[in-house]
Amino acid sequence: MSATSAEPIPRDTEHRSRTDARHDLFFRFLLRFCAMLVLAALLGAALSTLWGGREVLFKDGFRFLFSSDWNPVENQFGALAPIVGTLVTSLIALLLAVPVSFGIALFLTEIAPRWMRGPVSAAIELLAAIPSIIYGMWGLFVFVPFMASIEPTLSDTLGNIPVIGALFQGPPLGLGLLTAGIVLAVMILPFISSVMREVFQTVPARLKESSYALGSTTWEVVWDIVLPYTRSAVIGGIFLGLGRALGETMAVTFVLGNSYNLTASLLMPGTSISSSIANEFNEAVGMHRSALIALGFLLFVVTFIVLLIARFMLRQLQRKEGR
Amino acid sequence: MSAVYARRSVVNIVALTLSGLATLIGLIFLVWILWVTAQNGLGAIKLSLFTKITAYADQGGLSNAIVGSLIMDLMALLICAPIGVLAGTYLAEYASSTRLGATIRFLNDILLSAPSIVLGLFVYVIVVIPTTELTDGRISFSGFAGSVALALIGLPVIVRTTDEMLQLVPGTLREAALSLGIPQWKLTMQVLMRAAFSGILTGVLLALARLAGETAPLLFTAFGNNFMTAHPLDKMASMPVTIYQYTNDPNPTLHAIAWAGALLITLFVLALSLLTRIMFSRKKVSYE
């Protein structure tokens, strides 16, 4: 390198740099292999469930999706009831969790005194740390009886409204789609609210200050400045919650009631894709087992798409910030 | 003018009150669930939980489930921690700005919230079915299969935290080490890993907190076992699955045991997440 050093590079240094290069190459290969395992896990989950469910998926095709006749004894597998159950409970969960999460995020970013923010947001996030089986037990032993006690009132009031009344009529069992939806709402609350809280904090202070300077109220700043600025990420957070709700198993299995009858009422027992799998898989053989794995494939594809949308929407805001 | 102003401030007050109410709702559910678990669990915690096995359910034992859970959680960590840390290192150090890196990072985030029951089915198809067929049914459901399923739950958590933690290590540290002629792998393993150690450890603990409470992926991989076993190729009991079975049982004695187990698991998981929170808040990464 420098002109003054006339001596040649010693042999062992050259040797060492060559082994170093070889080690580096191996190390890089090892790391890349491990990273590829993440891809393999996702791809493998899709392909293996497709393979496991092939008998039913390819034999019955669309009838599998649109028939509500689920009869393992006669090898009839129509997945409409679990599909509808999954969608309805997740929808209820979103309808309840989105406004509440928004409220929590608003409270934690704009209203609460500074000393309160840390502990309260930590507490809300603890909801996400509680294992789902605990939600299930609490749901079955505590929340179901509670729902059973208020359902007569629901039927008497909401049940009389012309169009949506049919949703709230039925025997006060406590178990059912509505109860499952509410339990799911509590479960996904921390996910949606923590995304909202985080993105609300990224709104530049000068945008908000400008709005306050023009005389806006706190609510107007949030609704007209903060929310439009973070819209894509907020939608992303909602889809993230939806992805969680669709795939959740343990919390809903106990409280759904495991019934394949499709009814208009939300107070009636139902089933969902994940709870059908959890309830029946270990007793199922042959076609029945294949049908359950096919359900798993369906669930995976749907949640994959929902989560894909969620991540894309979340990235939009990061782009905007130049991250 | 004043009518408009009054309306705006009323809207404001109503909205802010509702948002406070929303926070209260969230907190009420948290307290409600924890309270119910503590109330039912504390009364049911007895010494017999740790000494008796589940085969004689009326004796109130969970010891084989506790041991099974510990073994499977540990094996799962042994599988996913090295893979996760190395994969996260790849993302942060080698692929931080490549298309491949962006794709893997993106898909890792999806794996993070993928339905755990499907991951259980995946392991059923790739581990349980082949071992059953190869051994004529002698080895079917196993503790090993259960750990693989749990490892899939923990993997994305570790990948993500490692990736983020290494990115926080200042670039000057890399430059300083490289300028001394250290090869890349030594730089990564001996300098960067050390700098980001507490962050990476946090990720591993976070993964443990997540997989310790999982039930769905164990149902058809580890299955369950009423007797004590430490052999990874046996069917293995676990806390969450035993709680699930006992809750489904009509016998109220078993419900009490399930609550005791639920309390133990909740305390374990909450303690872990509080620990990681403390580690996080102290400093994101320690450079010494």
Side-chain angles (χ1 to χ4, degrees):
Chain A
M1 287 273 225
S2 68
T4 50
S5 73
E7 313 157 37
I9 303 167
R11 267 202 97 100
D12 65 319
T13 315
E14 199 182 326
H15 175 71
R16 227 179 61 191
S17 71
R18 209 172 294 148
T19 47
D20 278 348
R22 206 162 51 233
H23 289 164
D24 268 351
L25 208 65
F26 172 73
F27 187 65
R28 194 196 165 90
F29 174 77
L30 178 72
L31 258 54
R32 184 189 278 241
F33 173 76
C34 288
M36 287 300 181
L37 284 179
V38 173
L39 297 187
L42 271 179
L43 200 65
L47 290 181
S48 66
T49 45
L50 179 63
W51 172 252
R54 67 192 182 281
E55 291 170 48
V56 169
L57 278 176
F58 295 133
K59 192 176 77 77
D60 286 357
F62 282 109
R63 217 187 58 208
F64 178 66
L65 295 181
F66 297 114
S67 157
S68 62
D69 180 24
W70 182 275
N71 189 344
V73 182
E74 287 166 24
N75 263 345
Q76 289 298 320
F77 298 103
L80 192 63
I83 293 172
V84 169
T86 296
L87 295 179
V88 169
T89 49
S90 304
L91 202 69
I92 296 172
L94 275 193
L95 283 178
L96 296 173
V98 168
V100 175
S101 305
F102 176 66
I104 293 174
L106 167 60
F107 181 79
L108 288 175
T109 51
E110 305 292 334
I111 305 170
R114 211 153 277 277
W115 57 268
M116 206 191 212
R117 295 181 184 179
V120 171
S121 66
I124 295 291
E125 274 165 35
L126 269 194
L127 275 175
I130 297 176
S132 57
I133 181 90
I134 311 295
Y135 279 93
M137 286 186 79
W138 167 80
L140 179 64
F141 291 127
V142 180
F143 199 59
V144 164
F146 173 76
M147 287 300 286
S149 72
I150 64 161
E151 275 174 8
T153 327
L154 275 182
S155 304
D156 289 344
T157 50
L158 295 174
N160 294 328
I161 300 170
V163 182
I164 61 163
L167 294 176
F168 297 99
Q169 280 161 0
L173 299 170
L175 295 165
L177 297 168
L178 181 64
T179 311
I182 297 175
V183 174
L184 276 181
V186 181
M187 284 201 76
I188 63 174
L189 200 76
F191 295 100
I192 304 180
S193 68
S194 82
V195 170
M196 284 187 181
R197 185 175 56 88
E198 269 170 31
V199 299
F200 284 1
Q201 283 169 345
T202 66
V203 178
R206 72 195 126 79
L207 277 185
K208 290 196 278 185
E209 281 160 8
S210 317
S211 180
Y212 279 121
L214 292 173
S216 300
T217 60
T218 307
W219 170 250
E220 284 163 351
V221 169
V222 171
W223 192 253
D224 298 325
I225 307 293
V226 173
L227 208 54
Y229 185 84
T230 55
R231 186 183 291 125
S232 67
V234 165
I235 296 172
I238 292 172
F239 270 77
L240 211 60
L242 177 61
R244 288 271 173 183
L246 289 169
E248 180 46 46
T249 310
M250 283 305 140
V252 293
T253 302
F254 290 133
V255 299
L256 262 175
N258 198 26
S259 154
Y260 281 89
N261 294 326
L262 280 174
T263 53
S265 170
L266 298 179
L267 304 188
M268 292 295 278
T271 187
S272 76
I273 295 179
S274 53
S275 75
S276 290
I277 301 172
N279 275 321
E280 298 173 25
F281 196 80
N282 282 332
E283 279 92 52
V285 283
M287 282 291 278
H288 189 190
R289 185 160 276 195
S290 173
L292 291 171
I293 299 181
L295 272 182
F297 174 71
L298 210 63
L299 179 63
F300 188 75
V301 171
V302 173
T303 44
F304 187 85
I305 294 168
V306 167
L307 293 170
L308 207 65
I309 297 172
R311 293 294 169 190
F312 265 115
M313 297 303 265
L314 283 171
R315 280 215 317 202
Q316 295 294 314
L317 186 74
Q318 293 184 348
R319 287 251 173 78
K320 194 149 102 188
E321 291 187 328
R323 263 197 268 158
Chain B
M1 195 61 193
S2 70
V4 174
Y5 182 74
R7 198 181 56 81
R8 283 175 58 205
S9 57
V10 165
V11 166
N12 186 44
I13 289 167
V14 168
L16 299 193
T17 313
L18 283 179
S19 96
L21 215 60
T23 314
L24 206 61
I25 290 175
L27 294 176
I28 284 174
F29 273 104
L30 175 76
V31 172
W32 192 2
I33 294 170
L34 291 181
W35 173 252
V36 165
T37 311
Q39 199 186 22
N40 289 301
L42 280 177
I45 287 192
K46 299 192 189 75
L47 191 65
S48 61
L49 284 179
F50 306 98
T51 55
K52 300 285 197 299
I53 58 174
T54 52
Y56 318 104
D58 43 346
Q59 295 181 351
L62 277 178
S63 63
N64 54 328
I66 296 174
V67 170
S69 262
L70 288 178
I71 292 176
M72 284 194 283
D73 291 353
L74 205 68
M75 285 207 303
L77 277 191
L78 284 179
I79 298 171
C80 69
I83 297 177
V85 169
L86 291 179
T89 311
Y90 179 74
L91 293 182
E93 297 299 316
Y94 289 87
S96 56
S97 53
T98 65
R99 184 171 291 240
L100 178 69
T103 313
I104 294 177
R105 196 169 285 142
F106 192 79
L107 291 175
N108 186 63
D109 281 349
I110 288 181
L111 186 61
L112 198 64
S113 21
S116 58
I117 194 155
V118 178
L119 297 177
L121 285 177
F122 169 43
V123 174
Y124 174 79
V125 174
I126 63 156
V127 179
V128 178
I129 291 182
T131 52
T132 312
E133 284 176 1
L134 286 176
T135 61
D136 290 324
R138 269 182 297 116
I139 300 170
S140 55
F141 301 105
S142 66
F144 170 71
S147 337
V148 174
L150 290 181
L152 285 174
I153 311 277
L155 180 69
V157 181
I158 298 179
V159 172
R160 191 180 180 170
T161 350
T162 307
D163 180 18
E164 282 175 1
M165 290 300 143
L166 283 175
Q167 282 183 3
L168 288 178
V169 179
T172 45
L173 211 59
R174 294 183 184 82
E175 287 159 13
L178 285 174
S179 71
L180 293 174
I182 294 183
Q184 183 87 33
W185 70 271
K186 242 182 205 171
L187 159 73
T188 311
M189 297 302 289
Q190 296 180 357
V191 179
L192 301 179
M193 290 277 179
R194 208 168 285 177
F197 180 76
S198 72
I200 294 173
L201 186 66
T202 308
V204 175
L205 292 181
L206 223 53
L208 179 61
R210 256 203 83 188
L211 59 85
E214 280 291 346
T215 317
L218 291 175
L219 286 174
F220 16 90
T221 51
F223 196 75
N225 193 336
N226 275 329
F227 294 92
M228 181 71 83
T229 177
H231 196 293
L233 295 181
D234 277 345
K235 294 187 178 78
M236 203 176 265
S238 61
M239 290 284 275
V241 173
T242 310
I243 295 173
Y244 171 67
Q245 288 161 344
Y246 280 13
T247 306
N248 264 336
D249 202 281
N251 181 355
T253 328
L254 298 189
H255 293 170
I257 303 174
W259 277 116
L263 179 61
L264 290 180
I265 271 203
T266 310
L267 286 178
F268 180 66
V269 170
L270 291 189
L272 267 179
S273 31
L274 285 179
L275 182 69
T276 50
R277 193 169 282 278
I278 292 166
M279 285 175 70
F280 254 120
S281 65
R282 204 185 289 153
K283 197 157 195 257
K284 286 235 160 167
V285 185
S286 58
Y287 329 102
E288 268 120 20

